[in-house]
Amino acid sequence: MSPPASPLSPLSPKMGSFPAKLRNRVPTQMRRAIPLYITCLIILFFVLNADVLAVPRPNSVLRRHSHQKPLAGSTQPPPPAGFPRKVWQSWKVDPFTFDKRDSDTARSWTTRNPGYRYEVLTDNNDMVYVEDHFGPNGFNRPDIVDMYRAINATIIKADLLRYMVMYAEGGVYADIDVEALRPIHRFVPERYNPADIDMVIGVEIDQPEFCDHPILGSKSMSFCQWTFMCKPHLPVMLKLVENIMSWLSKIAAEQNVPVAEVVLDFDEVISGTGPSAFTIAVLEEMNRQSDGGGDKITWSRFHGMDESKVVSRVLVLDVEAFAAGQGHSDSGVHNARGALVKHHYHASNWPSKHPRFSHPVYGEVERCNWDAACVKKWDDDVEAYKTLSPEEKQRKAEDRKAERARQLEEARAAQEQAIKLELLGQAQRKAEEEARKKADEDAKQALFGLAPPAQPPAHLLAPAVPDELVSLPELQQEEQQQLPPLPPFAFPPPAPPAPQQDLGLGSPGFLDGHEGMGEQGNKPFGSL
């Protein structure tokens, strides 16, 4: 009997012919269809992920926007509810090389706001920031980049940069000499919802009675821009940047020079880029946001404010918040509960390059610090000066120059005197300290019956006073006064050595000359 034929054996063709076809023909068909399958999968992948794989336009980077209405012709995505938690400052150098006073004010922001990021733009990286955010990969505004690069006036660049930073990223801006007195969350009172506010500013100068003054008028009503907070992409910030660019171009054309060579005085800076320009732009934006409903928004709405108010999504704080301690505008004091920051003004030396108007005889009217009687007298004196003859004007100008020189010399002498007195005080304190140390050492030596130490060098016992300190009679007399003699050492002489005598802390002879470990326990042995 023959064995059963295998289904794959040629002896059973009916059973083996079908698997053979399956092995030889089906794999070949699948291999031919593989490219088609892959092509279909790739097309399907691109269709399902078109939104992810699409290349964005340079100026379509996703950014956070405010609730304010966009400028005509622009579109904005829905804005965030809160303010960016970041503090911005700008200065000449980076924080690692700050002076102590700058470090102290900067540290106040990070100390009181530990949850906030902190960044300083410097003279070395500001251009990089502007190119990154306003160049082809940012807002694609080459006109802004070129203008910023062309400007040489540091105060103009500082004002322009803060507006660009606030437009690009938002957060809190503060000048380098502004100290944080309260945490940033106090900027928005609890009765307000931050989602309903796009910008937080404060009053700086509230003296509308001087609005018609030829010099003080443009500065008499202004919001503070040394500290403010806003959300990104506020139209008012971009409008400020564009206004400054137009203004600078106009000034350069009038002076027939490039933008880099324009010459500006104090009032031109204030009105062109500073608080006055800032105030005008904010008021214009408030009116634009209000759609013309109701009365026009003017400074009268913010004059003499007792508490903060929101106008067109801008929270305006009273003058005490950001500008306390000015001595005018009812600004209050820095230790008041409502004071949020303190401006130290040590970095505000830009008027030296952009001077105020100074009368040849009566000087600057700003020295009156908005005192009405002082300003009136200055105005009257200036008007009277106009009626004088050229000879009288010359004589008054010379008298004024001599008086100013005398005041400067007195101030210089007072400063030198203070320095000399401080140096003399340091020398005397050092001599007292060395004498005290010697007395302590002698007391310890006498206590334990040891030989007294060698006499220390004379310069340690009585430090030499610099020669320039003895040139003044009053300092010579003060130097000649000898220090009061030290009281004699009151310890009893050491007892003669005796067998097994206890000289520890329990010895009566030891405690007679010391205070033990009570209030004086931390003194060295033999302290008087």
Side-chain angles (χ1 to χ4, degrees), residues 333-376:
V333 294
H334 290 113
N335 60 1
R337 180 177 177 82
L340 302 176
V341 303
K342 180 178 182 179
H343 194 188
H344 292 274
Y345 298 99
H346 61 249
S348 302
N349 62 348
W350 63 267
S352 62
K353 299 180 180 179
H354 307 275
R356 297 179 174 91
F357 170 76
S358 181
H359 192 272
V361 175
Y362 303 110
E364 302 167 355
V365 67
E366 286 88 351
R367 294 182 179 273
C368 290
N369 199 29
W370 304 96
D371 180 76
C374 178
V375 173
K376 184 178 185 307

CSV table of all heavy atoms in Angstrom, one decimal, residues 333-376:
chain,number,residue,atom,x,y,z
A,333,VAL,N,3.7,111.1,49.8
A,333,VAL,CA,5.0,110.6,50.2
A,333,VAL,C,5.2,109.1,49.9
A,333,VAL,O,4.2,108.4,49.7
A,333,VAL,CB,5.2,110.9,51.7
A,333,VAL,CG1,5.3,112.3,52.0
A,333,VAL,CG2,4.1,110.2,52.5
A,334,HIS,N,6.4,108.7,49.9
A,334,HIS,CA,6.7,107.3,49.5
A,334,HIS,C,6.3,106.3,50.6
A,334,HIS,O,6.1,105.1,50.2
A,334,HIS,CB,8.2,107.1,49.2
A,334,HIS,CG,8.6,107.8,48.0
A,334,HIS,ND1,9.5,108.9,48.0
A,334,HIS,CD2,8.4,107.6,46.7
A,334,HIS,CE1,9.7,109.3,46.8
A,334,HIS,NE2,9.0,108.6,46.0
A,335,ASN,N,6.2,106.6,51.8
A,335,ASN,CA,5.7,105.7,52.8
A,335,ASN,C,4.2,105.6,52.9
A,335,ASN,O,3.7,104.9,53.8
A,335,ASN,CB,6.4,106.0,54.2
A,335,ASN,CG,6.0,107.4,54.7
A,335,ASN,OD1,5.2,108.1,54.0
A,335,ASN,ND2,6.5,107.7,55.9
A,336,ALA,N,3.5,106.2,52.0
A,336,ALA,CA,2.0,106.1,52.0
A,336,ALA,C,1.6,104.7,51.5
A,336,ALA,O,2.4,104.1,50.7
A,336,ALA,CB,1.4,107.2,51.1
A,337,ARG,N,0.5,104.3,51.9
A,337,ARG,CA,0.0,102.9,51.5
A,337,ARG,C,-0.2,102.8,50.0
A,337,ARG,O,0.0,101.8,49.4
A,337,ARG,CB,-1.3,102.6,52.2
A,337,ARG,CG,-1.9,101.3,51.9
A,337,ARG,CD,-3.2,101.0,52.6
A,337,ARG,NE,-3.8,99.7,52.3
A,337,ARG,CZ,-3.4,98.6,52.7
A,337,ARG,NH1,-2.4,98.5,53.6
A,337,ARG,NH2,-4.0,97.5,52.3
A,338,GLY,N,-0.6,103.9,49.3
A,338,GLY,CA,-0.8,103.9,47.9
A,338,GLY,C,0.4,104.0,47.0
A,338,GLY,O,0.3,103.9,45.8
A,339,ALA,N,1.6,104.3,47.6
A,339,ALA,CA,2.8,104.5,46.8
A,339,ALA,C,3.3,103.1,46.4
A,339,ALA,O,3.6,102.2,47.2
A,339,ALA,CB,3.8,105.2,47.6
A,340,LEU,N,3.4,102.9,45.1
A,340,LEU,CA,3.8,101.6,44.6
A,340,LEU,C,5.3,101.5,44.2
A,340,LEU,O,5.9,100.4,44.2
A,340,LEU,CB,3.0,101.2,43.3
A,340,LEU,CG,1.5,101.1,43.6
A,340,LEU,CD1,0.7,100.9,42.3
A,340,LEU,CD2,1.1,100.1,44.6
A,341,VAL,N,5.9,102.6,43.7
A,341,VAL,CA,7.3,102.7,43.3
A,341,VAL,C,7.9,104.0,43.8
A,341,VAL,O,7.2,104.9,44.3
A,341,VAL,CB,7.4,102.6,41.8
A,341,VAL,CG1,6.8,101.3,41.2
A,341,VAL,CG2,6.9,103.8,41.1
A,342,LYS,N,9.2,104.0,43.8
A,342,LYS,CA,10.0,105.2,44.2
A,342,LYS,C,11.0,105.5,43.1
A,342,LYS,O,11.9,104.7,42.8
A,342,LYS,CB,10.7,105.0,45.5
A,342,LYS,CG,11.5,106.2,46.0
A,342,LYS,CD,12.1,106.0,47.3
A,342,LYS,CE,12.8,107.2,47.8
A,342,LYS,NZ,13.4,107.0,49.2
A,343,HIS,N,10.9,106.7,42.5
A,343,HIS,CA,11.9,107.1,41.5
A,343,HIS,C,13.0,107.9,42.1
A,343,HIS,O,12.8,108.9,42.7
A,343,HIS,CB,11.1,108.0,40.5
A,343,HIS,CG,11.9,108.2,39.2
A,343,HIS,ND1,11.5,109.1,38.2
A,343,HIS,CD2,13.1,107.6,38.7
A,343,HIS,CE1,12.4,109.1,37.2
A,343,HIS,NE2,13.3,108.2,37.5
A,344,HIS,N,14.2,107.3,42.0
A,344,HIS,CA,15.4,107.9,42.6
A,344,HIS,C,16.1,108.9,41.8
A,344,HIS,O,16.9,109.7,42.3
A,344,HIS,CB,16.4,106.8,43.0
A,344,HIS,CG,15.9,105.9,44.1
A,344,HIS,ND1,16.0,106.2,45.5
A,344,HIS,CD2,15.2,104.7,44.1
A,344,HIS,CE1,15.5,105.2,46.2
A,344,HIS,NE2,15.0,104.3,45.4
A,345,TYR,N,15.8,109.0,40.5
A,345,TYR,CA,16.4,110.0,39.5
A,345,TYR,C,17.9,109.9,39.4
A,345,TYR,O,18.4,110.8,38.7
A,345,TYR,CB,16.0,111.4,40.0
A,345,TYR,CG,14.5,111.6,40.0
A,345,TYR,CD1,13.8,111.5,41.2
A,345,TYR,CD2,13.8,111.9,38.9
A,345,TYR,CE1,12.4,111.8,41.3
A,345,TYR,CE2,12.4,112.2,38.9
A,345,TYR,CZ,11.7,112.1,40.1
A,345,TYR,OH,10.4,112.3,40.2
A,346,HIS,N,18.6,108.9,39.9
A,346,HIS,CA,20.0,109.0,39.7
A,346,HIS,C,20.5,108.6,38.3
A,346,HIS,O,21.6,108.8,38.0
A,346,HIS,CB,20.7,108.0,40.8
A,346,HIS,CG,20.3,106.6,40.6
A,346,HIS,ND1,19.6,105.9,41.6
A,346,HIS,CD2,20.6,105.6,39.7
A,346,HIS,CE1,19.4,104.7,41.2
A,346,HIS,NE2,20.0,104.5,40.1
A,347,ALA,N,19.6,108.1,37.5
A,347,ALA,CA,19.9,107.8,36.1
A,347,ALA,C,19.4,108.8,35.2
A,347,ALA,O,19.5,108.7,34.0
A,347,ALA,CB,19.4,106.4,35.7
A,348,SER,N,18.7,109.9,35.7
A,348,SER,CA,18.1,110.9,34.9
A,348,SER,C,19.0,112.1,34.6
A,348,SER,O,18.8,113.2,35.0
A,348,SER,CB,16.8,111.4,35.6
A,348,SER,OG,15.9,110.3,35.8
A,349,ASN,N,20.2,111.8,34.0
A,349,ASN,CA,21.1,112.8,33.7
A,349,ASN,C,21.1,113.2,32.2
A,349,ASN,O,22.0,114.0,31.8
A,349,ASN,CB,22.6,112.4,34.0
A,349,ASN,CG,23.0,111.1,33.2
A,349,ASN,OD1,22.2,110.5,32.6
A,349,ASN,ND2,24.3,110.8,33.3
A,350,TRP,N,20.1,112.8,31.5
A,350,TRP,CA,20.0,113.1,30.1
A,350,TRP,C,19.8,114.6,29.8
A,350,TRP,O,20.2,115.1,28.7
A,350,TRP,CB,18.9,112.3,29.4
A,350,TRP,CG,17.6,112.5,29.9
A,350,TRP,CD1,16.9,111.8,30.8
A,350,TRP,CD2,16.6,113.5,29.4
A,350,TRP,NE1,15.6,112.3,31.0
A,350,TRP,CE2,15.4,113.3,30.1
A,350,TRP,CE3,16.7,114.5,28.4
A,350,TRP,CZ2,14.3,114.2,29.9
A,350,TRP,CZ3,15.6,115.3,28.2
A,350,TRP,CH2,14.4,115.1,29.0
A,351,PRO,N,19.2,115.4,30.7
A,351,PRO,CA,19.1,116.8,30.4
A,351,PRO,C,20.4,117.5,30.3
A,351,PRO,O,20.5,118.6,29.7
A,351,PRO,CB,18.3,117.4,31.7
A,351,PRO,CG,17.5,116.2,32.1
A,351,PRO,CD,18.4,115.0,31.9
A,352,SER,N,21.5,116.9,30.7
A,352,SER,CA,22.8,117.5,30.5
A,352,SER,C,23.2,117.6,29.0
A,352,SER,O,23.9,118.5,28.6
A,352,SER,CB,23.9,116.8,31.3
A,352,SER,OG,24.0,115.4,30.8
A,353,LYS,N,22.6,116.7,28.2
A,353,LYS,CA,22.9,116.7,26.8
A,353,LYS,C,21.7,117.4,26.0
A,353,LYS,O,21.9,117.7,24.9
A,353,LYS,CB,23.0,115.2,26.3
A,353,LYS,CG,24.2,114.5,26.9
A,353,LYS,CD,24.2,113.0,26.3
A,353,LYS,CE,25.4,112.3,27.0
A,353,LYS,NZ,25.5,110.9,26.5
A,354,HIS,N,20.6,117.5,26.7
A,354,HIS,CA,19.5,118.2,26.1
A,354,HIS,C,19.0,119.2,27.1
A,354,HIS,O,18.0,119.0,27.8
A,354,HIS,CB,18.4,117.2,25.7
A,354,HIS,CG,18.8,116.1,24.9
A,354,HIS,ND1,18.9,116.1,23.6
A,354,HIS,CD2,19.3,114.8,25.3
A,354,HIS,CE1,19.4,115.0,23.1
A,354,HIS,NE2,19.6,114.2,24.1
A,355,PRO,N,19.7,120.4,27.2
A,355,PRO,CA,19.4,121.3,28.3
A,355,PRO,C,18.0,122.0,28.3
A,355,PRO,O,17.5,122.2,27.2
A,355,PRO,CB,20.5,122.3,28.2
A,355,PRO,CG,20.9,122.3,26.8
A,355,PRO,CD,20.7,120.9,26.3
A,356,ARG,N,17.6,122.3,29.5
A,356,ARG,CA,16.3,123.1,29.6
A,356,ARG,C,16.6,124.6,29.2
A,356,ARG,O,17.8,125.0,29.1
A,356,ARG,CB,15.8,123.1,31.0
A,356,ARG,CG,15.4,121.7,31.5
A,356,ARG,CD,14.9,121.9,32.9
A,356,ARG,NE,14.3,120.7,33.5
A,356,ARG,CZ,15.0,119.7,34.1
A,356,ARG,NH1,16.3,119.9,34.3
A,356,ARG,NH2,14.5,118.7,34.6
A,357,PHE,N,15.6,125.3,29.0
A,357,PHE,CA,15.8,126.8,28.7
A,357,PHE,C,16.2,127.4,30.1
A,357,PHE,O,15.6,127.2,31.1
A,357,PHE,CB,14.5,127.4,28.3
A,357,PHE,CG,14.6,128.9,28.2
A,357,PHE,CD1,15.3,129.6,27.2
A,357,PHE,CD2,14.0,129.7,29.2
A,357,PHE,CE1,15.4,131.0,27.2
A,357,PHE,CE2,14.1,131.1,29.2
A,357,PHE,CZ,14.8,131.7,28.2
A,358,SER,N,17.3,128.1,30.0
A,358,SER,CA,17.9,128.8,31.2
A,358,SER,C,18.1,130.2,30.9
A,358,SER,O,18.8,130.6,30.0
A,358,SER,CB,19.2,128.1,31.6
A,358,SER,OG,19.7,128.7,32.8
A,359,HIS,N,17.4,131.1,31.6
A,359,HIS,CA,17.5,132.5,31.4
A,359,HIS,C,18.9,133.0,31.9
A,359,HIS,O,19.4,132.5,32.9
A,359,HIS,CB,16.4,133.3,32.2
A,359,HIS,CG,16.3,134.7,31.9
A,359,HIS,ND1,17.1,135.7,32.5
A,359,HIS,CD2,15.5,135.4,31.0
A,359,HIS,CE1,16.7,136.9,32.0
A,359,HIS,NE2,15.8,136.7,31.1
A,360,PRO,N,19.5,133.9,31.2
A,360,PRO,CA,20.9,134.3,31.5
A,360,PRO,C,21.0,134.9,32.9
A,360,PRO,O,22.1,134.9,33.5
A,360,PRO,CB,21.3,135.3,30.4
A,360,PRO,CG,20.0,135.8,29.8
A,360,PRO,CD,19.1,134.6,29.9
A,361,VAL,N,19.9,135.4,33.5
A,361,VAL,CA,20.0,136.0,34.8
A,361,VAL,C,19.2,135.1,35.8
A,361,VAL,O,19.7,134.8,36.9
A,361,VAL,CB,19.4,137.4,34.8
A,361,VAL,CG1,19.4,138.0,36.2
A,361,VAL,CG2,20.3,138.3,33.9
A,362,TYR,N,18.0,134.7,35.4
A,362,TYR,CA,17.1,134.0,36.4
A,362,TYR,C,17.1,132.5,36.3
A,362,TYR,O,16.3,131.9,37.0
A,362,TYR,CB,15.7,134.6,36.3
A,362,TYR,CG,15.7,136.1,36.4
A,362,TYR,CD1,15.5,137.0,35.3
A,362,TYR,CD2,16.0,136.7,37.7
A,362,TYR,CE1,15.5,138.4,35.5
A,362,TYR,CE2,16.0,138.1,37.8
A,362,TYR,CZ,15.8,138.9,36.7
A,362,TYR,OH,15.9,140.3,36.9
A,363,GLY,N,17.8,131.9,35.4
A,363,GLY,CA,18.0,130.5,35.4
A,363,GLY,C,16.7,129.8,34.9
A,363,GLY,O,16.0,130.3,34.0
A,364,GLU,N,16.5,128.6,35.4
A,364,GLU,CA,15.4,127.7,34.9
A,364,GLU,C,14.2,127.9,35.7
A,364,GLU,O,14.2,127.8,37.0
A,364,GLU,CB,15.9,126.2,34.9
A,364,GLU,CG,17.2,126.0,34.1
A,364,GLU,CD,17.8,124.6,34.4
A,364,GLU,OE1,17.2,124.0,35.3
A,364,GLU,OE2,18.8,124.3,33.8
A,365,VAL,N,13.1,128.0,35.1
A,365,VAL,CA,11.8,128.1,35.8
A,365,VAL,C,11.4,126.8,36.4
A,365,VAL,O,10.7,126.8,37.4
A,365,VAL,CB,10.7,128.6,34.8
A,365,VAL,CG1,10.4,127.5,33.8
A,365,VAL,CG2,9.4,129.0,35.6
A,366,GLU,N,11.9,125.6,35.9
A,366,GLU,CA,11.6,124.3,36.5
A,366,GLU,C,12.1,124.3,38.0
A,366,GLU,O,11.6,123.4,38.8
A,366,GLU,CB,12.2,123.2,35.7
A,366,GLU,CG,11.5,122.9,34.4
A,366,GLU,CD,12.0,123.8,33.3
A,366,GLU,OE1,12.8,124.7,33.5
A,366,GLU,OE2,11.6,123.5,32.1
A,367,ARG,N,13.1,125.1,38.4
A,367,ARG,CA,13.6,125.1,39.7
A,367,ARG,C,12.5,125.5,40.7
A,367,ARG,O,12.6,125.2,41.9
A,367,ARG,CB,14.8,126.0,39.9
A,367,ARG,CG,16.0,125.5,39.1
A,367,ARG,CD,17.2,126.4,39.4
A,367,ARG,NE,18.4,126.0,38.6
A,367,ARG,CZ,19.2,125.1,39.1
A,367,ARG,NH1,19.0,124.6,40.3
A,367,ARG,NH2,20.3,124.7,38.4
A,368,CYS,N,11.4,126.1,40.2
A,368,CYS,CA,10.3,126.5,41.1
A,368,CYS,C,9.5,125.3,41.5
A,368,CYS,O,8.7,125.4,42.5
A,368,CYS,CB,9.4,127.5,40.4
A,368,CYS,SG,10.1,129.2,40.2
A,369,ASN,N,9.7,124.2,40.8
A,369,ASN,CA,8.9,122.9,41.1
A,369,ASN,C,7.4,123.2,41.2
A,369,ASN,O,6.8,122.7,42.1
A,369,ASN,CB,9.5,122.3,42.4
A,369,ASN,CG,9.1,120.8,42.5
A,369,ASN,OD1,9.0,120.1,41.5
A,369,ASN,ND2,9.0,120.4,43.8
A,370,TRP,N,6.9,123.9,40.3
A,370,TRP,CA,5.5,124.1,40.1
A,370,TRP,C,4.9,125.0,41.3
A,370,TRP,O,3.7,124.9,41.5
A,370,TRP,CB,4.7,122.8,40.0
A,370,TRP,CG,5.2,122.0,38.8
A,370,TRP,CD1,6.1,121.0,38.9
A,370,TRP,CD2,4.9,122.1,37.4
A,370,TRP,NE1,6.4,120.5,37.6
A,370,TRP,CE2,5.6,121.1,36.7
A,370,TRP,CE3,4.0,123.0,36.7
A,370,TRP,CZ2,5.5,121.0,35.4
A,370,TRP,CZ3,3.9,122.8,35.4
A,370,TRP,CH2,4.7,121.8,34.7
A,371,ASP,N,5.7,125.7,42.0
A,371,ASP,CA,5.2,126.6,43.0
A,371,ASP,C,4.7,127.9,42.3
A,371,ASP,O,5.4,128.6,41.6
A,371,ASP,CB,6.3,127.0,44.0
A,371,ASP,CG,5.8,127.9,45.1
A,371,ASP,OD1,5.0,127.5,46.0
A,371,ASP,OD2,6.1,129.1,45.0
A,372,ALA,N,3.4,128.2,42.5
A,372,ALA,CA,2.8,129.3,41.7
A,372,ALA,C,3.4,130.6,42.0
A,372,ALA,O,3.7,131.4,41.1
A,372,ALA,CB,1.3,129.3,42.1
A,373,ALA,N,3.7,130.9,43.3
A,373,ALA,CA,4.3,132.2,43.6
A,373,ALA,C,5.7,132.3,43.0
A,373,ALA,O,6.1,133.4,42.4
A,373,ALA,CB,4.4,132.4,45.1
A,374,CYS,N,6.5,131.2,43.0
A,374,CYS,CA,7.8,131.3,42.4
A,374,CYS,C,7.8,131.4,40.9
A,374,CYS,O,8.6,132.2,40.3
A,374,CYS,CB,8.6,130.0,42.8
A,374,CYS,SG,10.2,129.8,42.1
A,375,VAL,N,6.9,130.7,40.3
A,375,VAL,CA,6.8,130.8,38.8
A,375,VAL,C,6.3,132.3,38.4
A,375,VAL,O,6.9,132.8,37.4
A,375,VAL,CB,5.7,129.8,38.3
A,375,VAL,CG1,5.5,130.0,36.8
A,375,VAL,CG2,6.3,128.4,38.5
A,376,LYS,N,5.4,132.8,39.2
A,376,LYS,CA,5.0,134.2,38.9
A,376,LYS,C,6.1,135.2,39.0
A,376,LYS,O,6.3,136.1,38.2
A,376,LYS,CB,3.8,134.6,39.8
A,376,LYS,CG,3.3,136.0,39.5
A,376,LYS,CD,2.1,136.3,40.3
A,376,LYS,CE,1.5,137.7,39.9
A,376,LYS,NZ,2.4,138.8,39.8
